[in-house]
Amino acid sequence: MSYAAYKMMHWPTGIENCASGFVTHSRADFSPQIPPIQTDDLESEWPAERQTGPLPNLIVTAANVLEVYVVRVQEEEIRESRVTGETKRGGVMAGISGASLELVCQYRLHGNVETMTVLPSGGGDNSRRRDSIILAFQDAKISVLEFDDSIHGLRTSSMHCFEGPEWFHLKRGHESFARGPMVKVDPQGRCSGVLVYGLQMIILKASQAGYGLVGDEDALGSGSAVSARVESSYIINLRDLDMKHVKDFTFAHGYIEPVMVILHERELTWAGRVSWKHHTCMISALSISTTLKQHPLIWSAVNLPHDAYKLLPVPSPIGGVVVIGANSIHYHSQSASCALALNNYAVSFDNSQEMSRSSFSVELDAANATWLSNDVAMLSTKTGELLLLTLVYDGRVVHRLDLSKSRASVLTSGIAAIGNAFFFLGSRLGDSLLVQFASILSSSVKEEIGDIEGDVPSAKRLRKSSSDALQDMVNGEELSLYGSAPNSTETSQKTFTFSVRDSFINVGPLKDFAYGLRINADPKATGVAKQSNYELVCCSGHGKNGALCILQQSIRPEMITEVELPGCKGIWTVYHKNTRGHNVDSTKMAAKDDEYHAYLIISLESRTMVLETADLLGEVTESVDYYVQGCTISAGNLFGRRRVVQVYARGARILDGAFMTQDLPISESSSVLSVSIADPYVLLRMSDGNIQLLVGDPSTCTVSINIPAVFESSTKSISACTLYHDKGPEPWLRKTSTDAWLSTGIDEAIDGSDGAAHDQGDIYCVVCYESGGLEIFDVPNFNCVFSVDKFMSGKAHLVDTLITEPSEDTQKVMSQNSEEVAGQGRKENTHNIQVVELAMQRWSGQHSRPFLFGILTDGTILCYHAYLYEGPENTSKTEEAVSAQDSLKTSNVSASHLRNLRFVRVPLDTYTREEALSGTTSPRMTVFKNVGGCQGLFLSGSRPLWFMVFRERIRVHPQLCDGSIVAFTVLHNINCNHGFIYVTSQGFLKICQLPSGSSYDNYWPVQKIALKGTPHQVTYFAEKNLYPLIVSVPVLKPLNHVLSSLVDQEAGHQIENDSVGSDELLRSYSVDEFEVRILEPEKSGAPWQTRATIPMQSAENALTVRVVTLFNITTKENETLLAIGTAYVQGEDVAARGRVLLFSVGKNTDNGQNLVSEIYSKELKGAISALASLQGHLLIASGPKIILHKWTGTELNGVAFFDAPPLYVVSLNIVKNFILLGDIHKSIYFLSWKEQGAQLNLLAKDFGSLDCFATEFLIDGSTLSLIVSDDQKNIQIFYYAPKMSESWKGQKLLSRAEFHVGAHVTKFLRLQMLPASSDRTSATQGSDKTNRFALLFGTLDGSFGCIAPLDELTFRRLQSLQKKLVDAVPHVAGLNPRSFRQFRSNGKAHRPGPDNIVDCELLCHFEMLPFEDQHEIAQQIGTTRVQILSNLNDLSLGTSFL
């Protein structure tokens, strides 16, 4: 393996930073929606709106992923909730019945976000300005991003870099720094401070242009909202101000100029010196004058405790700062100060005055905080408790601090208050939560706590999360998040009620994972289908958020029944309502989703079958009037499900249930190729390239043929077309036309028969021509309302060609001309690519926007998301201005054009292209509204995909278990509740349901099983399908028990109790107790069963658990045993010892008593940190020794040892007789075992020092490489080459490649790569391709990726493409992918290795480039677009392991 590819497969989910700000809308947009709602009754909306106020966006970062969300609030509407009878999670509170987070945009950056903040635009509640996002990256890079409406995404407004040769003096000779850059912002948005290199403070001055003036709307001349910008920057060296160790800084509220408060330590101290040297911290407040670049000290406070670490600025009108330490909280302002002791370790500076103490004892190291109101802060502790800190004040003087307990919650990495009604708990260790809060005065009676579970499994409400963090939050003593009991203090203190509204699933931090068989695996599967037999079982989370995550990359449906059905072309299910059911009152309308299907229509090669879907599928082909003599092209419902329409090659039939009411011959000369149905229209694409429309008349339930005049005269041949029904409470596309108030004429024609003024929405027809243009028409008038040239080239944004944008106009013409010129040479490649299928759909949801999908002949899937952009002509969003403009008609665009409609291209992470075969193809896309509570689109074909829509975001999940799928449809009846039917290419019809336990709103489907403890290591026992797992649970013990365990029993020491008071001996102390649980997987959705538990002794930590195969030398046969390595953790005064335990796993009985039995245990010197079986022997790493044992059946006898200087072995890997071991500090060693002479030999080692995290062998054909990941988030690949002169006769391992992953890799798993499509043709190449393994790895951020070997030709091609893409793609936040992937040595000496790994995170941008650019770049590196895409495709095929 000389060359490899690094590919992410599951992106990080552990949220590290969260913030809120008005990024996508300004405070003046009175409702938090991006497009302001135009409802008829504005009055009803105002009161509720005023309570929550304008809601800002939520911005979160997880490692290198940046996401912007908008909070969608469902107000309690009395009339609605009665009808549907559904309740949202959390019940009704403060007039709000539910809230959810909806994705606005998401980016994967070429760099990890260290810290993030939002630069406020200043201004009051009616300000039109928007906030910007400031991101800080490792060393000293700062990017400022703002939201650009015209592209519906973030745009970099300024970049500030303080790295490189000209800034070396800032480091002052230091190479490594304790933390990355820290960014904070002035609350009024006048400036921002970034602390880099420990003591250099960068001040970013915000531009003050047009502050609050009337004219600031036109500041940019674009008419769009103005975002806060950074104007200039300068540096303050804090060393000049006599500061040595800065711990934190912040900006105080309520000053005329920005005031920066800095917490710093004058001289360092440590735990052993605290009794002499304490209270070493102080705070200094500097007034920052950005114009004069001066920073005078205005006040300071000294003698703060040494463990103070965080500053919390108190909002106006109080002002000042709260200093948070591990044992005390202090408040300081210019005029007043007070303190609160949290536990017995808190002492005042000179021990004279007594500190006021809180009513309970708590430790506040590692707390996060936010303000719920101007005098109440919420703190989240390291145990996940929420505390409320109340400032008791009079005027601006704070008298004292009150601390009260609220509820328990998730362990947070950050808290962000969102407006005045919500806060977000971001977590890296558990699921992040969106929580609504409301304050009540405690003088009122405490409310009854209702059931806040509220998760009714109603079909309409999509499952937000099956995650267990929520379940346990909701079920009781954990965060039932209803506020604390009123304190007994005399003030009427505020208490808060809480309600969890939404959650994000997090699968990190992944400590370890095992690769095992799924419970519904198919033993007969082969090839790619075999891969979906497996799943990953991962240890994730920490403490009470600890969980087992079961991840599966592909969906494996639960089959209800299966029949053989060869030669099937298509399947459809239809409803049937009898006529009288049409005038039902609106209460029954809610049950529309729960209506059962009536008929299943199956189209075979030369005939059609019809089945009834009542309870059993019975064939009724003979007794119905369906067209059954030939194959059916499509079938569906018309007229509100009262009629069925069936279209066949030469005609159509309308049926009422089983009886035909109309038979309509369509055309003699040409046959129907594709059909799209949108009640009451049916759109047909004919084989001669024309389209015909069947128009239905709801009053008579009949249809008539209408060839739109636009297409009769047209010579352009149509390659694909579809109908789009824009329905919902308010048709979305209407908002995009300027005369939104006038377009009501269309609906009246539809509702003529209905009598009810029911807005059925509008219907549009999307057409793609063979020339590549796309047009949208309204139906039935066929006026063109939107058109785009070259749709198939896949541009990043689609803009109506009729719009003339003054600013971009000239550039567009220029670029088009240059494209034409450049295009002459390569026309021959592009003309044969066409759009073969289109779909446009808007799924349910109050604020959902339509998606547009297109499939091209080469298998590319284009996915676009519509958005609204009001151009410069109509700046104002208020109705008066719009109606005034309507009468003026300033624009030259025809009135019916949807000129505010635009589309943005959405990247699809995991999908595999498949070429469309020549000739007609059956339609591959099927839209579904409710399959097991999910909505989206199913794509059939050789590698079928589920596109599921959650929070306006598309999640792509493959389904590989049945190979190619030719037809798909939904089915809802008694036996199959919201399930589906599909037909495989082998001719099997399967009726299935989605697995219920999984949550699909994640990169991979995931099921979480709560453990209520920290999982450490898991392994898979394949013979019995069990998962042994190390879990530690914190247990409270009295202090005297804990102290007695810290004593060496043999030496017989006594504890000196004189220093410890007697009352302290009775206080409890938290200790982790370890056990090994043996879990057995259950059928999908059920919690796993613990079959047996192996407890450890007191103070004994289980470090490793492995399934080993040992050769019993007495019985001469192999035994599979469970081996556990442990260590006694008793402090530094006791010599380290450990035990090795062997267990046999017996009969799997129901009571599980004799499941495991201990057959051997032995105590050794040193901690036993790693175990492995080597050719029937057991290899044990105990402390600094590595000993190989043979197994006699009753005991282990050492046969060989290796005594190199490893300090502590973190991982052991074995291939044949080769051993790779990784040390905590001394990098890796490569050993071999010789049976004759019984010796372990050191072959080679890495001479550098490296803090290893994980190691593994990488096998590519006949070459063996060694891979290691380290604490600086790098990976390195080494190889053993004794014949090379630089390897010092083979003593030294040579570097083959190095790469910066940007995440701590904790585990590698070696899996055989699958044959890719290009390999199948040349199967004769020998074993080199077959014996090729890739490494799947998991990280502490919750991400998965793989390192896959490449052959040299592919590598060179992709590497030259990568070099081109560094410049060809505009990178978000201006980050450079090459510098991100450089090896980080953190100041240690490191000799750079070869750059032999290509970065697929950068290469995946190639697919998102427009078609013409792809050709150009491919030409520049001397290859073709097809060749590059097939290489990328083969890589993703070869690594689809799950």
Side-chain angles (χ1 to χ4, degrees):
M1 193 286 340
S2 309
Y3 308 101
Y6 158 86
K7 182 171 160 43
M8 285 305 277
M9 303 163 82
H10 181 292
W11 285 268
T13 56
I15 290 177
E16 287 162 19
N17 299 298
C18 55
S20 67
F22 289 89
V23 176
T24 63
H25 52 275
S26 62
R27 287 175 179 76
D29 304 340
F30 66 94
S31 58
Q33 288 69 26
I34 295 171
I37 308 192
Q38 288 94 22
T39 43
D40 304 327
D41 43 354
L42 279 170
E43 277 62 49
S44 68
E45 225 167 90
W46 277 106
E49 212 47 74
R50 209 169 287 142
Q51 284 176 346
T52 55
L55 280 175
N57 296 86
L58 170 71
I59 306 105
V60 299
T61 68
N64 65 330
V65 177
L66 170 73
E67 294 174 331
V68 180
Y69 288 91
V70 60
V71 181
R72 296 291 187 207
V73 174
Q74 288 94 36
E75 267 117 28
E76 176 192 15
E77 288 189 32
I78 291 85
R79 52 177 188 269
E80 225 176 75
S81 49
R82 275 211 199 113
V83 171
T84 54
E86 56 172 303
T87 48
K88 298 278 191 299
R89 172 156 97 223
V92 177
M93 181 168 128
I96 292 177
S97 61
S100 59
L101 291 163
E102 177 186 295
L103 185 74
V104 180
C105 53
Q106 181 212 25
Y107 297 97
R108 298 208 285 272
L109 312 176
H110 298 290
N112 288 352
V113 179
E114 292 288 316
T115 51
M116 168 184 70
T117 187
V118 170
L119 177 66
S121 56
D125 264 3
N126 50 1
S127 159
R128 273 228 163 284
R129 295 166 62 97
R130 294 183 180 174
D131 307 341
S132 298
I133 304 171
I134 305 182
L135 304 175
F137 299 93
Q138 195 57 279
D139 280 3
K141 289 188 273 288
I142 303 143
S143 291
V144 186
L145 304 175
E146 60 183 50
F147 189 77
D148 184 355
D149 285 316
S150 61
I151 58 170
H152 198 73
L154 296 175
R155 190 180 58 196
T156 310
S157 70
S158 63
M159 294 167 2
H160 313 267
C161 182
F162 296 89
E163 297 174 15
E166 67 272 36
W167 297 106
F168 271 163
H169 64 276
L170 296 182
K171 294 189 175 186
R172 296 189 61 95
H174 289 269
E175 278 299 329
S176 71
F177 297 92
R179 60 168 167 225
M182 186 161 73
V183 54
K184 297 283 168 77
V185 70
D186 172 50
Q188 292 174 31
R190 296 166 294 193
C191 69
S192 168
V194 188
L195 183 70
V196 297
Y197 302 133
L199 282 172
Q200 305 289 341
M201 178 68 70
I202 299 164
I203 302 289
L204 304 176
K205 182 187 175 189
S207 57
Q208 303 271 336
Y211 230 58
L213 296 178
V214 185
D216 73 349
E217 234 74 308
D218 316 320
L220 284 179
S222 69
S224 62
V226 187
S227 299
R229 299 273 174 92
V230 170
E231 186 181 276
S232 60
S233 60
Y234 65 96
I235 298 180
I236 304 174
N237 184 350
L238 298 180
R239 194 178 266 100
D240 302 344
L241 301 175
D242 209 26
M243 297 185 190
K244 296 199 185 72
H245 312 281
V246 175
K247 292 185 149 193
D248 196 15
F249 75 100
T250 190
F251 286 90
H253 289 256
Y255 285 89
I256 297 172
E257 285 213 311
V259 169
M260 178 190 286
V261 184
I262 301 176
L263 171 68
H264 54 108
E265 196 162 7
R266 289 168 299 178
E267 317 169 46
L268 295 179
T269 180
W270 64 289
R273 291 220 16 112
V274 166
S275 49
W276 293 274
K277 195 174 186 183
H278 46 83
H279 292 79
T280 50
C281 289
M282 66 176 289
I283 53 176
S284 308
L286 311 177
S287 174
I288 306 287
S289 166
T290 49
T291 44
L292 302 172
K293 301 194 178 177
Q294 291 178 349
H295 36 270
L297 178 73
I298 51 174
W299 58 271
S300 64
V302 293
N303 295 338
L304 287 164
H306 72 281
D307 53 18
Y309 65 94
K310 197 189 206 74
L311 292 176
L312 202 59
V314 182
S316 300
I318 306 173
V321 290
V322 170
V323 186
I324 301 176
N327 306 312
S328 57
I329 300 178
H330 301 255
Y331 168 81
H332 281 278
S333 72
Q334 211 159 339
S335 52
S337 67
C338 57
L340 180 70
L342 303 173
N343 52 39
N344 291 355
Y345 301 113
V347 287
S348 63
F349 169 58
D350 48 6
N351 285 333
S352 58
Q353 71 258 44
E354 188 57 38
M355 292 173 79
S356 59
R357 300 206 166 264
S358 84
S359 54
F360 55 94
S361 178
V362 65
E363 292 166 19
L364 266 192
D365 47 330
N368 288 298
T370 189
W371 292 93
L372 298 187
S373 69
N374 64 353
D375 59 341
V376 180
M378 186 174 70
L379 305 170
S380 153
T381 68
K382 60 183 175 183
T383 56
E385 286 181 290
L386 295 182
L387 308 176
L388 295 176
L389 173 70
T390 309
L391 277 59
V392 182
Y393 68 104
D394 179 14
R396 290 185 67 168
V397 180
V398 175
H399 295 306
R400 66 164 201 276
L401 307 173
D402 266 344
L403 195 66
S404 60
K405 282 195 181 187
S406 189
R407 288 297 152 121
S409 162
V410 63
L411 304 172
T412 60
S413 60
I415 312 183
I418 307 174
N420 56 8
F422 295 94
F423 59 84
F424 178 77
L425 301 170
S427 174
R428 208 185 129 90
L429 302 175
D431 292 358
S432 301
L433 305 169
L434 174 72
V435 182
Q436 184 193 347
F437 67 92
S439 65
I440 46 174
L441 282 174
S442 62
S443 50
S444 63
V445 188
K446 186 135 199 291
E447 308 172 5
E448 283 300 307
I449 296 180
D451 175 25
I452 88 154
E453 175 72 72
D455 234 340
V456 184
S458 82
K460 262 198 163 164
R461 188 176 144 18
L462 299 183
R463 279 202 314 276
K464 283 257 175 53
S465 156
S466 54
S467 96
D468 289 271
L470 265 168
Q471 296 308 322
D472 70 46
M473 297 207 44
V474 167
N475 283 349
E477 48 15 311
E478 281 293 281
L479 206 143
S480 72
L481 261 183
Y482 262 97
S484 60
N487 257 9
S488 54
T489 52
E490 65 277 8
T491 56
S492 130
Q493 195 186 358
K494 284 186 187 165
T495 53
F496 289 85
T497 57
F498 300 96
S499 166
V500 181
R501 292 301 188 188
D502 202 351
S503 67
F504 290 154
I505 286 190
N506 171 21
V507 297
L510 293 159
K511 297 198 182 69
D512 188 26
F513 59 88
Y515 182 74
L517 277 177
R518 298 190 191 182
I519 193 78
N520 58 353
D522 172 19
K524 297 191 290 295
T526 54
V528 178
K530 184 176 177 187
Q531 294 306 313
S532 67
N533 280 344
Y534 295 95
E535 63 191 4
L536 287 182
V537 176
C538 316
C539 296
S540 70
H542 180 84
K544 64 175 182 190
N545 297 135
L548 215 52
C549 286
I550 293 93
L551 286 154
Q552 309 169 340
Q553 197 179 352
S554 59
I555 290 178
R556 192 180 185 92
E558 293 177 354
M559 198 170 70
I560 297 176
T561 176
E562 162 182 52
V563 273
E564 197 161 355
L565 187 79
C568 174
K569 293 283 181 222
I571 49 177
W572 298 270
T573 45
V574 293
Y575 298 98
H576 169 231
K577 260 189 192 164
N578 44 9
T579 325
R580 60 185 170 72
H582 186 60
N583 300 329
V584 290
D585 57 338
S586 56
T587 51
K588 300 239 177 69
M589 290 293 283
K592 198 171 91 161
D593 274 2
D594 282 337
E595 187 184 340
Y596 287 155
H597 286 104
Y599 294 102
L600 169 67
I601 299 158
I602 302 176
S603 168
L604 304 172
E605 273 159 12
S606 57
R607 64 190 186 92
T608 293
M609 286 169 61
V610 183
L611 284 77
E612 265 188 329
T613 58
D615 35 8
L616 300 166
L617 296 183
E619 188 172 348
V620 291
T621 312
E622 305 305 319
S623 59
V624 291
D625 291 342
Y626 282 84
Y627 171 81
V628 294
Q629 294 79 20
C631 62
T632 301
I633 307 291
S634 178
N637 284 94
L638 284 184
F639 312 124
R641 299 185 176 171
R642 287 177 293 162
R643 294 285 184 277
V644 176
V645 58
Q646 180 197 19
V647 182
Y648 48 97
R650 301 261 180 228
R653 283 190 184 184
I654 305 292
L655 300 105
D656 184 357
F659 308 108
M660 180 168 73
T661 58
Q662 186 183 5
D663 192 0
L664 196 67
I666 289 173
S667 161
E668 294 303 316
S669 55
S670 60
S671 58
V672 179
L673 288 183
S674 74
V675 181
S676 172
I677 302 174
D679 186 9
Y681 301 101
V682 182
L683 181 73
L684 314 173
R685 183 168 69 88
M686 313 302 290
S687 54
D688 59 2
N690 257 332
I691 66 176
Q692 300 193 2
L693 183 72
L694 306 185
V695 183
D697 177 355
S699 53
T700 60
C701 290
T702 56
V703 294
S704 52
I705 295 185
N706 165 15
I707 298 180
V710 189
F711 300 113
E712 271 187 291
S713 53
S714 156
T715 53
K716 296 197 279 189
S717 186
I718 289 172
S719 67
C721 60
T722 183
L723 288 178
Y724 164 60
H725 191 169
D726 192 27
K727 52 177 184 289
E730 25 173 330
W732 191 84
L733 280 181
R734 275 193 217 167
K735 299 178 194 168
T736 62
S737 96
T738 40
D739 46 354
W741 331 110
L742 311 178
S743 62
T744 47
I746 310 172
D747 348 318
E748 286 161 17
I750 303 176
D751 318 328
S753 67
D754 196 75
H758 220 54
D759 192 348
Q760 294 286 340
D762 313 328
I763 293 178
Y764 298 88
C765 170
V766 189
V767 172
C768 222
Y769 300 104
E770 289 187 356
S771 60
L774 172 123
E775 294 193 336
I776 302 181
F777 298 90
D778 63 352
V779 179
N781 312 329
F782 278 89
N783 298 326
C784 174
V785 292
F786 185 84
S787 72
V788 176
D789 298 332
K790 295 213 187 85
F791 170 69
M792 85 283 164
S793 70
K795 301 190 197 70
H797 295 89
L798 302 182
V799 183
D800 193 340
T801 44
L802 284 184
I803 288 195
T804 51
E805 294 218 339
S807 51
E808 302 170 22
D809 200 26
T810 47
Q811 301 162 12
K812 266 194 193 157
V813 176
M814 303 264 296
S815 62
Q816 273 178 353
N817 292 351
S818 60
E819 266 176 29
E820 312 274 294
V821 179
Q824 299 306 320
R826 41 174 205 270
K827 275 282 188 288
E828 68 280 358
N829 307 339
T830 61
H831 72 252
N832 54 4
I833 290 202
Q834 293 170 10
V835 178
V836 289
E837 196 182 343
L838 278 172
M840 186 164 169
Q841 178 68 28
R842 176 176 165 224
W843 282 277
S844 68
Q846 194 187 349
H847 303 282
S848 59
R849 314 193 305 278
F851 284 94
L852 174 65
F853 295 88
I855 301 183
L856 308 186
T857 36
D858 68 343
T860 307
I861 304 168
L862 300 178
C863 169
Y864 285 93
H865 201 175
Y867 65 96
L868 188 91
Y869 173 61
E870 304 205 3
E873 307 89 83
N874 40 353
T875 51
S876 169
K877 291 183 177 170
T878 52
E879 289 111 350
E880 300 84 31
V882 175
S883 48
Q885 279 192 344
D886 270 351
S887 52
L888 288 168
K889 275 289 176 291
T890 49
S891 62
N892 55 353
V893 183
S894 73
S896 61
H897 249 263
L898 305 173
R899 26 184 220 117
N900 296 336
L901 173 64
R902 294 196 176 184
F903 289 91
V904 58
R905 185 156 171 208
V906 181
L908 300 173
D909 291 329
T910 43
Y911 78 93
T912 319
R913 303 155 183 280
E914 45 187 275
E915 298 270 336
L917 304 166
S918 54
T920 62
T921 55
S922 61
R924 290 175 54 197
M925 294 192 275
T926 313
V927 170
F928 58 88
K929 296 283 196 343
N930 185 353
V931 169
C934 301
Q935 50 184 5
L937 179 137
F938 183 83
L939 183 78
S940 53
S942 62
R943 291 173 70 88
L945 295 172
W946 292 84
F947 293 86
M948 296 184 181
V949 181
F950 297 95
R951 337 176 172 275
E952 287 298 278
R953 164 198 215 144
I954 292 216
R955 299 286 196 181
V956 184
H957 300 306
Q959 176 181 323
L960 309 174
C961 56
D962 294 293
S964 178
I965 288 179
V966 292
F968 171 96
T969 187
V970 292
L971 173 68
H972 178 46
N973 71 4
I974 290 188
N975 300 321
C976 175
N977 192 18
H978 293 297
F980 52 96
I981 309 180
Y982 59 89
V983 181
T984 65
S985 54
Q986 280 88 38
F988 285 98
L989 179 141
K990 300 191 174 188
I991 302 180
C992 303
Q993 282 176 306
L994 274 184
S996 54
S998 296
S999 168
Y1000 298 98
D1001 184 15
N1002 187 35
Y1003 299 104
W1004 293 355
V1006 59
Q1007 179 189 351
K1008 279 187 98 163
I1009 294 158
L1011 294 170
K1012 299 276 191 257
T1014 307
H1016 294 276
Q1017 207 176 44
V1018 62
T1019 184
Y1020 179 57
F1021 201 114
E1023 290 175 19
K1024 307 272 194 304
N1025 196 29
L1026 298 170
Y1027 289 93
L1029 167 77
I1030 298 178
V1031 183
S1032 68
V1033 182
V1035 179
L1036 287 174
K1037 289 189 164 179
L1039 192 61
N1040 46 10
H1041 285 198
V1042 178
L1043 289 175
S1044 62
S1045 71
L1046 298 183
V1047 171
D1048 203 341
Q1049 307 299 338
E1050 289 116 49
H1053 286 307
Q1054 290 299 312
I1055 321 175
E1056 299 90 9
N1057 273 349
D1058 49 345
S1059 63
V1060 183
S1062 57
D1063 55 337
E1064 282 196 26
L1065 278 180
L1066 304 172
R1067 290 183 49 219
S1068 57
Y1069 186 80
S1070 166
V1071 183
D1072 279 346
E1073 292 210 336
F1074 280 75
E1075 60 189 29
V1076 175
R1077 294 184 197 168
I1078 299 192
L1079 298 173
E1080 183 174 34
E1082 290 289 316
K1083 288 274 183 277
S1084 128
W1088 289 19
Q1089 297 299 318
T1090 306
R1091 287 280 166 237
T1093 304
I1094 305 168
M1096 297 293 123
Q1097 297 172 2
S1098 77
E1100 182 181 29
N1101 289 15
L1103 299 180
T1104 179
V1105 56
R1106 288 288 175 247
V1107 175
V1108 292
T1109 305
L1110 301 185
F1111 180 73
N1112 186 331
I1113 55 174
T1114 46
T1115 62
K1116 297 281 184 278
E1117 54 191 27
N1118 284 329
E1119 297 179 17
T1120 305
L1121 304 171
L1122 188 65
I1124 300 173
T1126 73
Y1128 289 98
V1129 179
Q1130 295 171 298
E1132 55 191 13
D1133 300 332
V1134 183
R1137 295 170 301 138
R1139 286 197 305 164
V1140 57
L1141 307 167
L1142 291 180
F1143 288 84
S1144 71
V1145 181
K1147 297 280 177 292
N1148 193 351
T1149 52
D1150 288 338
N1151 58 2
Q1153 287 311 310
N1154 54 355
L1155 179 63
V1156 289
S1157 49
E1158 182 177 325
I1159 52 173
Y1160 179 75
S1161 89
K1162 176 183 186 180
E1163 191 168 296
L1164 298 168
K1165 280 183 186 167
I1168 296 179
S1169 55
L1171 300 160
S1173 56
L1174 169 63
Q1175 294 181 339
H1177 298 17
L1178 182 64
L1179 189 63
I1180 298 176
S1182 73
K1185 270 199 179 61
I1186 291 153
I1187 313 173
L1188 189 69
H1189 293 77
K1190 61 182 185 208
W1191 172 240
T1192 63
T1194 53
E1195 63 178 40
L1196 290 171
N1197 293 329
V1199 287
F1201 70 93
F1202 169 67
D1203 233 0
L1207 304 169
Y1208 178 91
V1209 177
V1210 284
S1211 68
L1212 271 180
N1213 307 97
I1214 287 173
V1215 165
K1216 296 185 177 166
N1217 63 331
F1218 294 112
I1219 305 163
L1220 167 63
L1221 66 96
D1223 184 73
I1224 189 84
H1225 214 57
K1226 297 277 186 192
S1227 198
I1228 56 173
Y1229 293 81
F1230 183 45
L1231 314 171
S1232 74
W1233 153 245
K1234 289 203 179 67
E1235 190 80 53
Q1236 68 270 25
Q1239 56 195 147
L1240 288 171
N1241 291 333
L1242 174 67
L1243 296 176
K1245 65 177 185 176
D1246 171 24
F1247 278 38
S1249 72
L1250 192 71
D1251 298 358
C1252 298
F1253 265 48
T1255 57
E1256 187 52 275
F1257 287 103
L1258 186 55
I1259 300 172
D1260 179 18
S1262 55
T1263 56
L1264 184 70
S1265 310
L1266 324 173
I1267 191 164
V1268 55
S1269 69
D1270 63 44
D1271 69 324
Q1272 294 298 315
K1273 308 184 179 183
N1274 308 304
I1275 52 173
Q1276 281 171 279
I1277 302 179
F1278 291 98
Y1279 66 111
Y1280 174 61
K1283 295 190 174 66
M1284 306 269 286
S1285 59
E1286 61 261 43
S1287 74
W1288 301 1
K1289 295 186 179 167
Q1291 297 176 59
K1292 184 178 179 182
L1293 289 170
L1294 299 179
S1295 172
R1296 188 162 262 170
E1298 58 183 29
F1299 191 82
H1300 183 70
V1301 176
H1304 286 124
V1305 175
T1306 52
K1307 165 86 183 239
F1308 290 106
L1309 176 71
R1310 190 172 65 241
L1311 295 171
Q1312 186 156 4
M1313 288 183 74
L1314 307 166
S1317 50
S1318 57
D1319 304 346
R1320 293 193 193 107
T1321 48
S1322 49
T1324 53
Q1325 283 177 343
S1327 66
D1328 200 35
K1329 283 280 181 76
T1330 55
N1331 192 30
R1332 176 170 267 191
F1333 289 80
L1335 296 180
L1336 184 70
F1337 63 79
T1339 74
L1340 289 181
D1341 294 327
S1343 55
F1344 284 93
C1346 69
I1347 305 283
L1350 290 177
D1351 51 276
E1352 184 166 3
L1353 183 66
T1354 311
F1355 170 78
R1356 296 278 175 232
R1357 184 182 298 128
L1358 293 180
Q1359 191 184 39
S1360 44
L1361 170 64
Q1362 177 175 312
K1363 286 175 179 161
K1364 282 280 176 216
L1365 288 177
V1366 172
D1367 302 328
V1369 177
H1371 301 295
V1372 185
L1375 293 163
N1376 186 334
R1378 273 188 60 196
S1379 76
F1380 180 43
R1381 296 308 182 186
Q1382 294 291 316
F1383 186 90
R1384 306 269 166 95
S1385 62
N1386 197 24
K1388 293 182 188 156
H1390 174 76
R1391 198 160 164 204
D1395 180 21
N1396 284 344
I1397 298 184
V1398 292
D1399 178 14
C1400 289
E1401 281 291 273
L1402 177 57
L1403 295 176
C1404 67
H1405 287 286
F1406 180 74
E1407 300 184 23
M1408 288 295 292
L1409 287 174
F1411 200 84
E1412 296 78 17
D1413 298 5
Q1414 291 183 355
H1415 271 292
E1416 199 166 321
I1417 290 177
Q1419 250 183 345
Q1420 288 170 359
I1421 61 175
T1423 177
T1424 62
R1425 166 181 183 270
V1426 178
Q1427 179 66 60
I1428 292 173
L1429 290 175
S1430 103
N1431 285 152
L1432 294 173
N1433 214 16
D1434 289 351
L1435 189 61
S1436 58
L1437 273 173
T1439 55
S1440 49
F1441 300 119
L1442 297 161

